[in-house]
Amino acid sequence: MGQLSPPAPTAPARTAPGRRASGGLRRRLTTAAGALALTAGLVATGPQASAAGLTQVTGFGSNPGNLTMHTYAPDGLGPGAPLVVALHGCTQSASDYYSHSGWPKFADRYGFALVFPQTSSANNANSCFNWFDTADSTRGRGEALSVKQMVDTAVARYGSDTRRVFVTGLSAGAGMTADLLAAYPDVFAGGSIDSGLPAYCATSVSAAYTCMYSPPDKSPAQWGDLVRSAAPAGTTAWPRVAIWQGTSDTTVAPANATELRDQWTDVLGTGQTPSRTASLGGGTTLSEYADATGRPAVRVYSVSGMAHGLAVDPGTGPEQCGATGPYYLDTICSSYHTARFWGLDGGDGGGGGGGTPGTLPAPAGLTVTGTTDTTAALSWSPVSGAASYQVHRGGTKVGTTASASYTDTGLTGATTYSYTVAAVDASGAVGAVSAPVTATTTGYPATCHTADNYQHTAAGRAYQSGGQTYAKGSGQAMGLYNTFVTHTLRQTAPGYYVLADDGC
């Protein structure tokens, strides 16, 4: 990675509503950030091309942190799906993180929306999130508040489940992730800190250098107190935390993973002795810390020989993801393991009550065998050792079956749904999730219209005869042809309407 070099001259810090003017500490923070390696050693690249499927969203709030918001949502995503916020590293962008991290693959597979916040050189010389500045990293302020406003906007836009909102980030994005988990435990159900630092390890430039290369050796309680003091008073529910760290990282010392473990195991009350360890692919060792119920609360993934960056594993396999590039390192797909830890695959984040992930393979051959206006029938190849199967629609479990087929009911006509299936062994551990399939129900997309009889007739949804009004197609009587009688009509086919006053 090389040594730190003197920072290049920077443009004045940005001015935005609610932000202080450039100069003084802000100027020193912005300039010095060019030498931070949550900034250090990151070679700036040219402008990133827009990633297909990534959409910029404007007008998401007062935006005191002067960030931009980008989103991705799979086709057919229904309400009640999870939401994941993903924060890029220094010199990177939202589209860069979208293209390399692997998160869109699992958004498609499991059914959840993604938000990619983006900062810029107007905020920080190397386009880093300002994790070390309390004006940006604390509740209700700066960049942290801008991210919270993005969450609120995405929840409204996609109908996301507010109980299943998660945040992840790389490097400076990981530093900000830790801060967000501490500042907004009422917003985020879980987080993943990839090559990052403990929450509020630094509140100045000099402290940032110390944290990166030789983090303070605080006690777990001291680290935990930093989180508790940042959260709303009286907080008792805390997010689950994954910590990813390469053992050969010279930008963010591996000791940070230890301090992060101490911080979040203290907050979550698990103690610092692992309840389980396991060897994963890519030279990765998993250390797990379960809560009193046996559910994994903190996981530390130590990747042997990995330098500073995000762990990816390009390929088409069910556990593979991402693309290599500067600071996207070919080892193991961290996004896959993080998604399963959070339960985005429809599991409990550890499988079967005991906290151990299932080993059964993903069911192959998932196929839609038929649809009606209200049902979708599925089948797949049986999995050896499966006691049952979980069926998920849009990332939410909708049924369990002992056979290799299932029919989902109560659907809406002319609507597309996404399905995945996972095998469950005799102990209740949920195995890998299948590739998704989509099913489109038959029929006409039901639409409803509430208006007075005169307006219905003028719009062609009804007709009048002898001073009376009738629904077009069904001929149902609607009463006098005037502006004083109001009805709701549901269209069920072209030119066919039925009364739906009791609910549509």
Side-chain angles (χ1 to χ4, degrees):
M1 299 292 289
Q3 298 299 314
L4 294 174
S5 58
T10 60
R14 84 287 197 188
T15 301
R19 303 289 299 181
R20 59 187 182 276
S22 62
L25 177 60
R26 164 59 62 185
R27 177 59 181 244
R28 294 195 298 275
L29 287 169
T30 303
T31 302
L36 289 176
L38 282 182
T39 101
L42 295 181
V43 178
T45 59
Q48 297 290 330
S50 295
L54 199 61
T55 300
Q56 183 170 349
V57 177
T58 58
F60 56 85
S62 61
N63 190 21
N66 194 32
L67 304 179
T68 55
M69 175 182 179
H70 304 261
T71 65
Y72 173 76
D75 293 338
L77 183 70
L83 175 69
V84 173
V85 179
L87 300 164
H88 63 78
C90 299
T91 77
Q92 297 175 334
S93 66
S95 63
D96 180 65
Y97 211 61
Y98 171 92
S99 299
H100 289 82
S101 66
W103 277 109
K105 173 176 180 174
F106 301 110
D108 290 339
R109 178 187 295 179
Y110 300 141
F112 56 87
L114 287 162
V115 172
F116 293 90
Q118 181 172 301
T119 186
S120 70
S121 59
N123 286 15
N124 178 289
N126 270 13
S127 298
C128 310
F129 291 99
N130 288 319
W131 60 276
F132 51 84
D133 185 353
T134 55
D136 276 312
S137 62
T138 51
R139 187 180 180 94
R141 303 184 70 187
E143 294 175 356
L145 179 55
S146 290
V147 173
K148 167 62 166 58
Q149 292 173 343
M150 292 183 197
V151 170
D152 293 340
T153 299
V155 166
R157 185 183 183 97
Y158 301 115
S160 305
D161 184 350
T162 56
R163 300 166 301 175
R164 294 190 293 165
V165 179
F166 305 88
V167 60
T168 182
L170 166 64
S171 194
M176 183 61 78
T177 293
D179 294 342
L180 288 166
L181 293 172
Y184 291 102
D186 51 334
V187 173
F188 298 107
S192 180
I193 303 164
D194 297 69
S195 301
L197 309 98
Y200 305 112
C201 181
T203 56
S204 69
V205 172
S206 60
Y209 280 102
T210 300
C211 289
M212 289 158 47
Y213 297 124
S214 182
D217 185 17
K218 297 179 185 289
S219 70
Q222 288 173 320
W223 282 120
D225 285 344
L226 292 175
V227 172
R228 287 182 284 268
S229 64
T235 297
T236 57
W238 300 97
R240 308 167 75 196
V241 179
I243 299 159
W244 288 84
Q245 180 68 49
T247 63
S248 297
D249 192 336
T250 58
T251 299
V252 175
N256 279 285
T258 301
E259 305 304 329
L260 273 163
R261 177 208 64 186
D262 288 353
Q263 182 173 63
W264 289 101
T265 53
D266 179 76
V267 169
L268 287 153
T270 68
Q272 287 73 56
T273 301
S275 53
R276 182 176 76 95
T277 60
S279 295
L280 307 178
T284 303
T285 299
L286 166 65
S287 299
E288 184 174 272
Y289 303 81
D291 62 19
T293 69
R295 187 170 185 251
V298 176
R299 281 182 174 171
V300 179
Y301 299 84
S302 178
V303 188
S304 178
M306 190 179 82
H308 186 63
L310 182 72
V312 298
D313 183 18
T316 59
E319 298 184 16
Q320 292 183 290
C321 75
T324 57
Y327 306 98
Y328 297 99
L329 307 179
D330 189 356
T331 50
I332 186 174
C333 174
S334 57
S335 299
Y336 168 78
H337 289 277
T338 298
R340 294 202 70 202
F341 171 51
W342 290 340
L344 297 180
D345 62 342
D348 64 0
T356 303
T359 58
L360 293 179
L366 178 60
T367 304
V368 179
T369 58
T371 58
T372 68
D373 289 6
T374 59
T375 67
L378 310 168
S379 68
W380 54 90
S381 299
V383 174
S384 178
S388 63
Y389 301 89
Q390 289 184 356
V391 180
H392 299 87
R393 182 207 315 139
T396 300
K397 186 172 75 172
V398 293
T400 300
T401 176
S403 66
S405 63
Y406 181 80
T407 298
D408 194 18
T409 60
L411 306 179
T412 301
T415 302
T416 299
Y417 297 92
S418 176
Y419 291 94
T420 57
V421 177
V424 183
D425 65 21
S427 70
V430 182
V433 177
S434 70
V437 296
T438 58
T440 302
T441 51
T442 58
Y444 190 81
T447 56
C448 292
H449 310 270
T450 300
D452 61 54
N453 282 354
Y454 177 83
Q455 292 168 327
H456 279 308
T457 302
R461 296 185 291 266
Y463 62 92
Q464 69 91 14
S465 176
Q468 298 290 314
T469 307
Y470 302 89
K472 186 175 181 180
S474 68
Q476 290 177 302
M478 299 170 58
L480 292 173
Y481 173 59
N482 58 34
T483 61
F484 301 104
V485 179
T486 297
H487 287 291
T488 297
L489 293 178
R490 180 173 68 247
Q491 185 176 12
T492 59
Y496 196 95
Y497 297 84
V498 296
L499 283 169
D501 293 337
D502 292 334
C504 189

